[in-house]
Amino acid sequence: MIRSRIIATGSYAPPKVLTNFDLEKMVETSDEWIISRSGIRERRIAEKNTSTSDLGTQAALRALEMAGLAPEDLDFIITGTNSPDMFFPCTGCFIQAKIGAKKAAAFDVSAGCTSFIHALSLADKFIKEDPSRKVMVLGAEIMSKVTDWTDRGTCVLFGDGAGAIILAGEEGERGILSTHLHSDGALWELLYMPGGGSANPSSHETVDKGMHYIKMAGNQLFKVAVRALADVSQEALKYNRLKSQDIDIMIPHQANTRIIEAAAKLISFPMEKVFLNIEKYGNTSSATIPIAMDEVQREGKVKAGDLMLLCSFGTGVTWGSAVIRW
Ligand code: ACO
């Protein structure tokens, strides 16, 4: 059987660190509140003149280097992002041009923080269609530029970064075993950015009202997120006839440690097998999972044949999972 195997990973986070102590000087908050409510200690912030595609480009180059591939070898570049360089063209096209992946078809996926899993699911289908293809999947974000730095309810949570993986068709047991995707658009008001689109085109008024910033009902979203992560993880296990104990490592979307702990508890999944790096990066939206995949790969926390469970939720509301034999 042909499967889509992850042959390389790469990630990049901008060097500038913003700690909880820095935030204490910006809004009424405390390191103690942020760490106890979210698990975040610091996050990375991109420079003013940096675009999302710049972060994606660095992650892409690192993945290509690990794969030993040239940019021209890529057939697709699928980028999950909620903070694109521009409305159009897509951020993937900028990444394509910056790395010189002349042959690749590039497009973006917008499904909130779950975008990376949606992109991964598409990549799997492209490879099943033609196993000779090499497909790059990215999650890349500069959330700091859509964050209201006066809103303590959101500004402590988000960060910037990018992760990339490369998939190739391979005969055997290793690779993507399943993906499951869901959404409930009726819950859109839990997390949204109202300004700049066709509903509220950019104007002095939209800017004055701060409509170009994230709006979030954190408390309500918290409950939806716990249920979504638990349900979609259970769905993935059941589909693959697996039990929690069969999974070697779970990489959940890094939005809040308490959300992850509550979801893991609901499905009796041991926290020792859950990978967390939220402490260092905060919530980098669709980039959290590919950044984590790169870290576990480079730090030797996964080995060939391990079973990995990815699960995510995000604005939309969307949620999804993937099971991978590494
Ligand atoms: N510092 C200090 N106090 C704060 C802060 C802050 N940064 N933010 C809020 N508070 C206050 C509130 O004003 C409130 O005060 P009150 O009781 O006097 O009204 C109190 O803390 C409790 O607020 P809650 O919102 O109930 O706190 P909660 O325990 O729910 O934690 C949090 C808030 C961290 C935002 C949590 O709800 C959460 O993580 N929700 C999910 C958010 C999320 O995951 N978003 C992204 C998902 S999709 C994606 O990744 C793009």
Side-chain angles (χ1 to χ4, degrees), residues 23 27-30 33-34 36-40 82 112-114 141 143 151-158 190-191 214 216-223 225 253-259 283-286 288 312-316 318:
L23 280 162
V27 287
E28 204 185 320
T29 190
S30 65
W33 191 96
I34 303 170
S36 64
R37 297 292 179 115
S38 71
I40 302 165
N82 301 289
C113 300
T114 324
E141 305 280 5
M143 297 305 287
D151 174 15
R152 68 176 183 173
T154 54
C155 77
V156 302
L157 299 175
F158 296 97
L190 297 186
L191 182 58
I214 298 166
M216 187 176 79
N219 205 274
Q220 284 162 268
L221 187 55
F222 190 104
K223 290 168 200 147
H253 171 44
Q254 316 273 314
N256 185 318
T257 305
R258 287 190 301 137
I259 291 176
N283 179 350
T284 57
S285 189
S286 62
T288 69
S312 188
F313 69 95
T315 176
T318 60

Side-chain angles (χ1 to χ4, degrees), residues 92-165:
C93 277
F94 287 117
I95 296 170
Q96 177 201 16
K98 285 175 185 173
I99 65 174
K102 292 195 176 65
K103 191 177 78 175
F107 61 94
D108 292 0
V109 172
S110 168
C113 300
T114 324
S115 299
F116 177 79
I117 305 232
H118 283 70
L120 185 73
S121 183
L122 281 173
D124 186 34
K125 277 135 196 104
F126 284 131
I127 286 175
K128 297 255 166 69
E129 200 177 73
D130 178 354
S132 72
R133 285 171 170 158
K134 305 281 179 290
V135 182
M136 176 175 279
V137 179
L138 297 110
E141 305 280 5
I142 297 191
M143 297 305 287
S144 63
K145 293 193 186 180
V146 293
T147 295
D148 179 353
W149 290 100
T150 64
D151 174 15
R152 68 176 183 173
T154 54
C155 77
V156 302
L157 299 175
F158 296 97
D160 304 336
I165 63 168

Side-chain angles (χ1 to χ4, degrees), residues 11 39-42 251-254 257 260 274-284 287-296 299:
S11 64
I40 302 165
R41 274 186 204 284
E42 58 187 44
I251 300 183
H253 171 44
Q254 316 273 314
T257 305
I260 295 166
V274 178
F275 182 76
L276 292 174
N277 62 5
I278 187 170
E279 197 177 341
K280 296 190 283 182
Y281 302 116
N283 179 350
T284 57
T288 69
I289 290 180
I291 290 174
M293 289 169 89
D294 186 45
E295 286 198 355
V296 299
E299 291 168 13

